Amino acid sequence: MKLGFLGLGRMGSGMAARLLTVAPDLKVYNRSATATRPLADRGATVVQSIADFGDCDLVFTMVADDSAERDLSLGSGGLAQTLPAGAIHVACSTISVDCARALDAAHREHGQSYLSMPVFGRPDAAAAGKLFLVAAGPAEIFAAIAPYRERLGQRSFHLGERPEQANLVKLSGNYLIATVIESLGEAMALVEKGGIDRHAYLELLTGTLFDAPVYRNYGKLIADRQQRPAGFALPLAQKDLRLVMAAAEDLAVPLPFSGPLRDRFLQLAAQGHGDLDWSALGVGAAQAAGLPVVLGGDEREP
């Protein structure tokens, strides 16, 4: 297959580099040319427009939101109009279920195949090929891209024939992670204000009841007050919360925790913390408890 990759942010760059090892003629595209240079140095072909993907059999996209994905795929001269009949588009972006449906319909109209395959993992996992891949769409397409899935992730899951099902699962997972970050930050603030060292508390939690990556990894970020550089920035997490709330409304599913999370995101946005990692949700809980916290900076004495 002739491969292409569009969207070279912190996640996309690592993923494209992994694919380059099995597709040395990989074509890459990014709106900012700066992000293409490390891949070009490793032999990737940098292209200047979407039209240059017209001979590709398989393209991956990894962009920030619905708007960017629609621009790349559905706009005039986008992927749906550019790719040849029979080509495959795999969107790894975290997008809404409505956007996934629109992408699927457009590719079907042009005789192409579409698979949603959002991922769980941070930039270091992307660079190491340790992502978890959540896919939905035609089972035969999922099978056809197996060699590339194996380069990108440590495990893949095929969850249904309708591509938007993968996006719903991804959004639900991010919602669950956000509730863990918030509740862990609240619990850590409680014991710290009672005079208990937060790192010792985290060691207790992760060594007993909560020995799971989400608690270990985000607990350490919260305890270390480490929100820069952002592996997953607050505005993107806030966007995902909006998308999961919209999906829940469409399906008539109450999400009682979504209201407090929304307020925490708004609080952090109002304070100008858009450059911080979303683990700042947990540190925001410490700040709200009156602990000596400067978000995104060093602690200060009360």
Side-chain angles (χ1 to χ4, degrees):
M1 288 186 175
K2 292 184 178 180
L3 264 66
F5 200 103
L6 298 86
L8 301 175
R10 295 193 67 196
M11 292 292 291
S13 292
M15 295 170 69
R18 296 288 302 177
L19 291 174
L20 190 57
T21 62
V22 291
D25 58 348
L26 179 71
K27 291 183 177 183
V28 297
Y29 170 83
N30 195 69
R31 289 176 179 174
S32 170
T34 303
T36 66
R37 291 172 188 160
L39 289 164
D41 291 343
R42 296 176 63 174
T45 300
V46 178
V47 301
Q48 304 302 316
S49 72
I50 297 172
D52 293 316
F53 292 95
D55 62 346
C56 284
D57 305 300
L58 170 63
V59 296
F60 292 82
T61 53
M62 185 57 157
V63 293
D65 52 28
D66 284 21
S67 177
E69 191 68 69
R70 287 178 180 273
D71 284 349
L72 285 178
S73 304
L74 303 180
S76 177
L79 289 174
Q81 294 182 3
T82 297
L83 295 175
I88 302 168
H89 174 196
V90 179
C92 300
S93 314
T94 301
I95 54 175
S96 70
V97 294
D98 286 342
C99 184
R101 290 190 187 107
L103 291 169
D104 186 36
H107 284 299
R108 285 176 182 271
E109 181 181 348
H110 289 85
Q112 303 146 358
S113 297
Y114 172 73
L115 191 78
S116 278
M117 195 174 73
V119 304
F120 286 113
R122 291 167 70 86
D124 56 343
K130 297 297 184 182
L131 297 170
F132 293 101
L133 314 176
V134 180
E140 64 272 18
I141 300 303
F142 178 76
I145 67 166
Y148 310 108
R149 289 190 284 105
E150 291 168 0
R151 292 302 300 164
L152 294 175
Q154 57 181 300
R155 190 173 178 188
S156 301
F157 302 83
H158 184 252
L159 298 175
E161 291 288 321
R162 292 184 286 118
E164 69 270 15
Q165 292 173 310
N167 302 98
L168 184 62
V169 169
K170 167 61 176 175
L171 292 171
S172 73
N174 277 13
Y175 173 67
L176 186 56
I177 295 171
T179 64
V180 168
I181 295 172
E182 173 66 25
S183 60
L184 183 56
E186 292 175 7
M188 202 173 287
L190 175 65
V191 299
E192 183 178 357
K193 202 163 185 182
I196 298 165
D197 180 79
R198 61 181 180 267
H199 289 91
Y201 178 64
L202 178 63
E203 183 178 359
L204 165 69
L205 290 180
T206 57
T208 55
L209 299 176
F210 298 100
D211 183 17
V214 68
Y215 284 93
R216 291 195 303 270
N217 297 339
Y218 285 106
K220 187 176 188 306
L221 292 175
I222 295 169
D224 290 348
R225 304 292 194 247
Q226 182 183 339
Q227 293 93 56
R228 291 193 181 103
F232 186 51
L234 277 165
L236 293 176
Q238 186 176 11
K239 175 266 297 184
D240 290 352
L241 180 64
R242 288 195 297 269
L243 295 183
V244 79
M245 291 175 74
E249 184 170 350
D250 287 344
L251 293 170
V253 176
L255 297 178
F257 292 154
S258 63
L261 282 173
R262 174 183 174 275
D263 289 345
R264 182 74 76 199
F265 276 117
L266 289 174
Q267 171 197 342
L268 294 168
Q271 293 172 348
H273 295 307
D275 65 324
L276 300 186
D277 187 80
W278 68 329
S279 60
L281 288 171
V283 184
Q287 184 185 59
L291 290 166
V293 174
V294 177
L295 279 166
D298 296 325
E299 293 185 10
R300 53 182 169 80
E301 293 300 320

